[in-house]
Amino acid sequence: MHAFNYQHPKSVADAAAALSKGGDAKLLAGGQSLVAAMKLRLAAPTDLIDLSGIKELAGIKVEGAGITIGAMTRHAEVARSEEVRAKIPALAGLAGGIGDRMVRNMGTLGGSLAHNDPVADYPAAVLGLNATVNTNKRKIAADDFFKGMFETALQTGEIIVSVSFPVPKRAAYIKFRNPASRYAIVGVLAAETGSGVRVAVTGAASSVFRVAAMEKALAAKWSPDAVAGISVPSAGLNSDMHASAEYRAHLVTVMARRAVEAAK
Amino acid sequence: MGDMNTIGVSVKRKEDYRFLTGAGNYTDDVTLPHQSYACFVRSPHAHAKIKGIKKDKALRAPGVLAIYTGEDWAAAKVGGLPCGWLITDVHGQPMKEPLHPCLAQGKANHVGDQIAVVIAETYNQARDAAELVEVDYAVLPAVVDVASALKQGAPQIHEAAPGNTCYVWALGDKGATDKAFASAAHVTKLEFINNRLVPNAIEPRAVNASYARHDESYTLYVANQNPHVERLLMTAFVLGLPEQKVRVIAPDVGGGFGSKIYLYAEDVVLTWASKRVNRPIKWTAERSESFVSDAHGRDHATTAELALDKDGKFLALRVHTKAAMGAYLSTFGSCVPTILYATLLAGQYTTPAIYAEVTAVFTNTVPVDAYRGAGRPEATYVVERLVETAAREMKIDPAEIRRRNFIKTFPYQTPVALQYDIGDYEATLAEAMKLADVAGFPARRAEAAKRGKKRGLGYSCYIEACGIAPSAVAGALGARAGLFEAGEIRVHPTGKVTVFTGSHSHGQGHETTFAQVVASRLGIPVDDVDVVHGDTGRVLFGMGTYGSRSLAVGGTAIVKALDKVVNKGKKIAAHLLEASDTDIEFKDGQFKVAGTDKAVPFGSVALTAYVPHNYPHDKLEPGLNEQAFYDPSNFTFPAGSHICEVEIDPDTGITRIVNFTAVDDFGNIVNPMIVEGQVHGGLTQGIGQALTEACVYDKESGQLLTGSYLDYCMPRADDVPSYKVGTKVTACTHNPLGVKGCGEAGAIGAPPALINAITDALGIREIEMPATPERVWRAANKKA
């Protein structure tokens, strides 16, 4: 790891100001991707702006028909939150299945979304549950947030403050883990939400995506059989030593079927 | 005093308190006054000419003390790393031994090859400066697999080894084998790869070398399995230092699995440089360095055929193997696919004719050497995959075909050099079948089928040769070292005992097992016995720990020294009791005049030896300290039966091991808990090879694609079941403890049992290891 300046602001405004001061500054949330990259010398920011001291980024609140979760909320907190478990068990379950115990105790919702790793779990939750990403500047709909591999709609100086999840009628997330890294080779979140059926897939491609054909079939009939015959094209899917694009495409159907079954 | 006998008792491990409370003392824990640190510049290319190295910028970086490259190494006229086993090829010629430089000599031959070393005040400074060393590479085409390396026109790695061939070696009667095949009723043929593995000891390799000007001596702390061998190889073959001036200490070592047997370049470079910079130098591998610098295991490509008569009796076995050596010959790389492999091809069976031919091949990869099992897992995989496949093809029950061919009378001379002293293969198979509830398998399979799952059952009846080895036999086969062991019993005046052993514990629990042996023999509490190992400055000599040899060879040396202690004790007791030496018997910690109640306890004899006021000075020296060397008269032959039951989800290709049973014959057992732990660890490593661990090199670039745990899949607790283990005992006939060795059995037996179960579940002939979910899914769904 190379040397860097450490900053510990107490407000989102101070963090945004520090971020705009030039240099290669990076926000530090849970550090589960960034610090690992720094240790391997793959990332060498001049400044780390630690968000852990900012109160307005913390906490889980039930608001109307939804739950708003602060960006610095750790995966483990989401997993064990009584409110989340009661209202959106699929989200609590997803958070409880991220990485390992250390990752869950350190990693954060905001950090995961801003990083937008193609194999991360949270993007499937945000897209599949039609959540809204609240930043220090605006509200971004899930469908507009994820732009590609490690790319989001966030602009320079923009910081995720919280994410608002509407409570779905039913939802489930099923993941096929990479045997080595335990990241998602394919993770599918299937949900029936107030704004329609959504099927979001992570791990399979360069970024999280929805499967329109499955959503349509499930809207007509919520049943595992409805998606069993629907496959996504393998062209454009990720392909590596752990899973070819063909295998991933197959797993999307299997995981979708199992997610629908689990969300009965 | 009879309760002092703890042989066969699961005494809790003496060493665990310090390990579990963080009080272990590993090489990286040792920091010396004026400590400096090293970072190695490693080749990012699999094969490249080094056109030049500029180090001036790096030399000006903060904290840098020195930078050495291959040029400095050559100028100092120090040698390359030696290979400890000379293989003589089919033409009677010695194997090709290209230079194995400690710092690359003009050419890098694998990703991770060490090019330069940077020594600085702190590790971070050394690492920062290492990034400033400018190496000008001209990249050459690389070759990473044995088949490609042997092709015409393949990139040539060493001038001294044309065709990338180290040797072609053979064992067995070719004529008799070919003849048996010609008249066989059935032939089963398989072609497969025994996959390359990365060892992944939990403690990375580490070195801390220092030089003392006052007496011109060196001290080397190193994570190593055999410190005396390390010292001998380094002083005599590489650096030309006086052996008595070098002390090698292998303190607590966190796992070896073979990978810490060898003399590595880093050990030598730091020792050499410590005098030049006149500072202690420490290096601890980062995990990514371990992947590209610890010797790997396995990597065979094999064609194997089994000839049978119409009743399923084995007539002959014919095996052709191409074995990767990697870029250089590691310390024992040459003997693994020959002496430790082909000699085991008889397995547990009476196959009368066996012929094996092995081509050892250089590739642009990390050197390959012994890894838990070393040659024996590869041999067992050949035999047990063939046997199971032949049984299915001939529609004979796989257990029955084994029974028809088991060796039943001992000693048994195999057609591949070894003579088995004892065993009872039917007993281990029968017990394993009972524990595994083989009888209930059809019902379980039917029930799984109802749930859409595929169940399969696979056997593996392995044998291994442990307790290496009779030195004379090893020498005749090309070993450049002896393979005895040494031990010393120091009885202190208070009757407490320190045992010095040439074996080395890096997880095996010797501090407990050896203490049990000594305490039981002397009739004293286990807590009164301490075991010292891993220090050439304290232990008289040692060949170290590998090949499941510690108790059989190292333990026997201790027993021989104990016999001397007891004999001397009898003479002292005879004097004290005013009896004749020959009338004294020693039992339960008491020296007794036979047939009387006159006795003196062990502690009194010990005290008398050191406070010799009333002592037979005319006949005996004072003190009670005895040494012994032991050279075994034969290998030991642990054997057993493993049965694996899997359930496969054909939708995802995920294989779940629902049942794994291992019944082993390790001879007599000193500590059943430790043995069970060794079996569990071995089985898990074997399952890792068969199910999860793929070491993948890119065929074009020669880059190691599985260079971290993100891609290299070590088995985890949730990948393995709760094992069912059992033991059967036939005591080894040629060592006084009757022990055989247990460290490698699991890693040897498990892979074929698991692959036999998967192929049974899917109704297929072959599947490549590791049987990853995608491979299994493809096989289950008949996809190419």
Side-chain angles (χ1 to χ4, degrees):
Chain A
M1 191 181 287
H2 290 286
F4 56 86
N5 299 313
Y6 175 78
Q7 304 189 47
H8 198 226
K10 293 282 178 254
S11 71
V12 172
D14 287 352
L19 198 53
S20 65
K21 279 225 179 83
D24 181 18
K26 283 261 185 213
L27 297 175
L28 176 66
Q32 296 307 293
S33 298
L34 178 58
V35 173
M38 290 171 68
K39 280 181 169 175
L40 290 167
R41 299 190 166 205
L42 298 172
T46 55
D47 294 74
L48 274 193
I49 302 159
D50 184 354
L51 302 177
S52 65
I54 303 175
K55 288 208 175 66
E56 57 200 286
L57 297 179
I60 298 171
K61 278 175 285 196
V62 178
E63 291 179 333
I67 296 179
T68 294
I69 300 176
M72 282 298 287
T73 310
R74 317 279 167 177
H75 309 328
E77 295 173 67
V78 176
R80 63 171 176 253
S81 155
E82 291 300 329
E83 291 90 344
V84 180
R85 287 160 61 129
K87 293 190 176 291
I88 322 179
L91 180 60
L94 176 145
I98 298 173
D100 57 24
R101 202 171 281 261
M102 186 184 87
V103 167
R104 291 194 291 275
N105 281 324
M106 290 298 293
T108 67
L109 171 60
S112 172
L113 295 178
H115 190 48
N116 193 23
D117 191 312
V119 295
D121 297 301
Y122 264 134
V126 169
L127 190 63
L129 296 169
N130 196 21
T132 302
V133 180
N134 309 307
T135 76
N136 57 339
K137 295 184 176 165
R138 57 188 167 138
K139 293 182 186 306
I140 308 173
D143 284 322
D144 301 326
F145 184 79
F146 303 101
K147 294 295 187 191
M149 193 189 299
F150 300 110
E151 275 182 55
T152 67
L154 293 171
Q155 294 160 356
T156 312
E158 191 167 15
I159 297 173
I160 300 175
V161 175
S162 64
V163 181
S164 298
F165 292 91
V167 174
K169 288 184 190 142
R170 51 187 160 188
Y173 178 68
I174 303 282
K175 156 162 77 166
F176 185 93
R177 293 166 185 267
N178 178 319
S181 69
R182 305 276 165 121
Y183 279 112
I185 276 183
V186 168
V188 175
L189 192 135
E192 189 176 358
T193 75
S195 51
V197 170
R198 296 172 77 96
V199 176
V201 180
T202 190
S206 58
S207 182
V208 64
F209 65 92
R210 291 171 61 184
V211 185
M214 287 184 181
E215 292 177 354
K216 199 175 149 195
L218 289 171
K221 188 182 178 216
W222 185 271
S223 137
D225 295 342
V227 292
I230 301 173
S231 54
V232 298
S234 60
L237 295 190
N238 296 337
S239 190
D240 55 36
M241 73 178 98
H242 303 289
S244 66
E246 182 193 8
Y247 182 47
R248 275 190 166 86
H250 166 79
L251 287 174
V252 169
T253 303
V254 176
M255 295 301 119
R257 199 179 74 213
R258 291 181 183 183
V260 171
E261 196 169 7
K264 264 192 277 203
Chain B
M1 294 291 274
D3 58 354
M4 294 302 168
N5 183 0
T6 57
I7 301 295
V9 177
S10 290
V11 173
K12 290 246 169 73
R13 302 204 326 166
K14 286 160 73 98
E15 47 270 79
D16 279 347
Y17 183 79
R18 76 173 186 275
F19 291 145
L20 295 175
T21 58
N25 184 41
Y26 298 88
T27 295
D28 191 62
D29 292 320
V30 176
T31 296
L32 301 168
H34 312 295
Q35 186 71 59
S36 71
Y37 296 84
C39 178
F40 283 85
V41 176
R42 296 184 183 277
S43 173
H45 305 295
H47 199 195
K49 267 214 159 75
I50 300 166
K51 296 199 290 183
I53 302 176
K54 283 192 200 150
K55 55 185 186 183
D56 38 327
K57 224 188 274 176
L59 276 169
R60 290 196 300 272
V64 172
L65 299 168
I67 298 174
Y68 300 113
T69 69
E71 270 184 32
D72 303 299
W73 196 254
K77 301 204 188 319
V78 254
L81 298 176
C83 182
W85 205 296
L86 174 70
I87 296 297
T88 301
D89 77 5
V90 286
H91 305 296
Q93 297 299 306
M95 66 184 187
K96 304 292 193 297
E97 292 186 74
L99 177 70
H100 185 174
C102 293
L103 292 169
Q105 297 295 307
K107 192 158 158 284
N109 289 318
H110 68 89
V111 170
D113 209 350
Q114 54 287 338
I115 309 297
V117 62
V118 178
I119 298 153
E121 295 289 348
T122 70
Y123 178 68
N124 271 334
Q125 287 174 333
R127 193 165 174 199
D128 285 343
E131 288 180 0
L132 300 174
V133 175
E134 296 169 82
V135 187
D136 187 7
Y137 293 103
V139 177
L140 300 167
V143 64
V144 295
D145 68 282
V146 287
S148 307
L150 290 173
K151 281 189 185 142
Q152 279 272 314
Q156 296 295 298
I157 300 168
H158 300 290
E159 268 179 34
N164 296 320
T165 303
C166 178
Y167 56 77
V168 179
W169 175 92
L171 181 67
D173 187 337
K174 185 170 190 301
T177 303
D178 290 346
K179 206 173 143 207
F181 269 92
S183 60
H186 184 87
V187 172
T188 294
K189 180 176 176 180
L190 290 172
E191 287 183 44
F192 48 79
I193 303 281
N194 198 290
N195 47 321
R196 176 184 278 251
L197 301 172
V198 182
N200 287 304
I202 197 164
E203 179 210 16
R205 282 193 297 119
V207 185
N208 193 345
S210 55
Y211 175 70
R213 285 173 64 197
H214 71 90
D215 64 355
E216 300 175 314
S217 71
Y218 297 81
T219 302
L220 174 67
Y221 289 88
V222 59
N224 184 277
Q225 300 176 215
N226 35 219
H228 285 89
V229 177
E230 168 100 356
R231 178 175 71 167
L232 177 62
L233 292 173
M234 185 187 299
T235 56
F237 294 95
V238 192
L239 292 177
L241 298 173
E243 191 174 357
Q244 80 280 13
K245 293 283 194 191
V246 179
R247 179 179 179 188
V248 176
I249 302 170
D252 283 331
V253 174
F257 314 112
S259 71
K260 291 171 183 165
I261 295 172
Y262 322 118
L263 178 64
Y264 283 97
E266 294 87 355
D267 316 358
V268 180
V269 169
L270 262 64
T271 304
W272 173 79
S274 68
K275 182 180 179 184
R276 294 203 150 202
V277 298
N278 195 29
R279 297 274 296 271
I281 312 170
K282 179 148 81 175
W283 168 79
T284 302
E286 299 198 3
R287 185 57 68 180
S288 15
E289 271 186 297
S290 301
F291 271 93
V292 296
S293 70
D294 290 4
H296 291 176
R298 319 283 193 257
D299 200 351
H300 286 193
T302 291
T303 303
E305 301 159 277
L306 180 66
L308 305 94
D309 73 9
K310 62 176 177 29
D311 301 319
K313 266 302 256 181
F314 307 157
L315 302 174
L317 177 66
R318 191 161 55 196
V319 179
H320 286 82
T321 291
K322 300 179 181 83
M325 295 288 102
Y328 306 104
L329 283 176
S330 176
T331 312
F332 291 108
S334 56
C335 73
V336 176
T338 47
I339 311 302
L340 296 177
Y341 169 67
T343 55
L344 273 300
L345 287 169
Q348 300 187 351
Y349 312 112
T350 55
T351 317
I354 298 175
Y355 177 73
E357 196 175 291
V358 179
T359 305
V361 186
F362 290 108
T363 56
N364 292 115
T365 60
V366 174
V368 178
D369 208 320
Y371 170 68
R372 201 170 194 169
R376 291 153 290 173
E378 297 92 315
T380 301
Y381 195 76
V382 168
V383 174
E384 291 305 295
R385 285 288 295 122
L386 278 174
V387 166
E388 192 101 353
T389 308
R392 289 175 194 164
E393 288 173 347
M394 297 182 74
K395 310 219 181 311
I396 303 172
D397 178 83
E400 173 56 24
I401 203 170
R402 287 176 166 90
R403 280 190 218 104
R404 283 183 200 173
N405 289 281
F406 277 154
I407 296 162
K408 294 180 182 109
T409 50
F410 296 90
Y412 177 80
Q413 177 64 52
T414 74
V416 277
L418 298 177
Q419 191 186 76
Y420 302 166
D421 63 332
I422 196 159
D424 186 347
Y425 309 138
E426 287 184 320
T428 46
L429 177 60
E431 178 72 7
M433 290 176 74
K434 202 170 85 190
L435 280 181
D437 185 20
V438 171
F441 174 69
R444 296 195 294 277
R445 171 178 255 178
E447 185 277 330
K450 280 190 205 148
R451 290 182 282 111
K453 303 290 196 283
K454 293 174 184 285
R455 280 222 177 193
L457 191 84
Y459 294 81
S460 164
C461 297
Y462 73 91
I463 191 155
E464 47 174 333
C466 294
I468 51 174
S471 293
V473 174
L477 294 170
R480 285 164 166 161
L483 283 161
F484 55 86
E485 197 47 272
E488 179 175 354
I489 301 291
R490 183 168 302 163
V491 181
H492 301 284
T494 54
K496 314 281 186 197
V497 174
T498 304
V499 181
F500 299 86
T501 174
S503 297
H504 184 276
S505 178
H506 31 280
Q508 294 87 344
H510 295 168
E511 290 171 40
T512 305
T513 305
F514 288 7
Q516 284 179 254
V517 169
V518 172
S520 298
R521 293 237 162 188
L522 295 181
I524 61 177
V526 170
D527 283 343
D528 284 0
V529 181
D530 267 19
V531 176
V532 171
H533 60 91
D535 183 349
T536 64
R538 299 180 72 193
V539 177
L540 70 164
F541 202 80
M543 294 309 299
T545 287
Y546 38 81
S548 308
R549 72 193 297 272
S550 295
L551 191 56
V553 189
T556 301
I558 288 169
V559 169
K560 300 264 176 201
L562 278 171
D563 289 344
K564 294 184 189 177
V565 166
V566 170
N567 279 336
K568 186 168 180 182
K570 281 182 181 172
K571 289 178 184 159
I572 297 170
H575 179 84
L576 293 174
L577 297 167
E578 297 176 335
S580 159
D581 298 359
T582 50
D583 290 340
I584 303 292
E585 59 185 27
F586 181 64
K587 209 176 158 226
D588 298 338
Q590 299 283 326
F591 291 94
K592 256 174 106 168
V593 180
T596 74
D597 58 358
K598 284 171 71 184
V600 55
F602 176 73
S604 300
V605 167
L607 188 64
T608 304
Y610 288 94
V611 187
H613 297 164
N614 176 19
Y615 199 81
H617 287 285
D618 53 333
K619 287 188 275 187
L620 275 185
E621 295 169 9
L624 198 51
N625 190 97
E626 297 291 345
Q627 301 180 340
F629 285 71
Y630 170 68
D631 203 299
S633 59
N634 192 1
F635 295 85
T636 63
F637 297 98
S641 285
H642 293 182
I643 299 175
C644 178
E645 186 171 333
V646 298
E647 182 170 300
I648 289 168
D649 177 352
D651 276 354
T652 59
I654 287 181
T655 300
R656 204 161 61 83
I657 301 168
V658 288
N659 207 338
F660 201 109
T661 307
V663 176
D664 300 291
D665 177 358
F666 300 132
N668 293 333
I669 289 173
V670 174
N671 186 317
M673 176 195 71
I674 288 178
V675 167
E676 196 169 319
Q678 289 287 314
V679 172
H680 282 208
L683 290 175
T684 304
Q685 273 175 301
I687 287 168
Q689 165 160 33
L691 205 58
T692 70
E693 294 183 50
C695 176
V696 183
Y697 277 96
D698 184 80
K699 286 215 174 223
E700 296 296 313
S701 68
Q703 293 294 325
L704 179 61
L705 300 178
T706 49
S708 82
Y709 295 133
L710 286 177
D711 292 309
Y712 189 86
C713 186
M714 293 297 284
R716 292 165 165 87
D718 63 348
D719 290 318
V720 298
S722 265
Y723 298 114
K724 291 182 188 168
V725 301
T727 51
K728 285 276 168 188
V729 177
T730 61
C732 174
T733 59
H734 55 80
N735 65 51
L737 293 167
V739 297
K740 300 180 182 178
C742 68
E744 297 159 295
I748 293 169
L754 179 46
I755 296 299
N756 285 339
I758 291 175
T759 50
D760 179 50
L762 299 180
I764 56 172
R765 220 165 164 269
E766 293 177 67
I767 190 162
E768 196 178 335
M769 292 196 291
T772 59
E774 177 159 7
R775 282 180 181 153
V776 171
W777 172 72
R778 287 188 179 279
N781 294 280
K782 309 279 183 278
K783 286 175 183 289

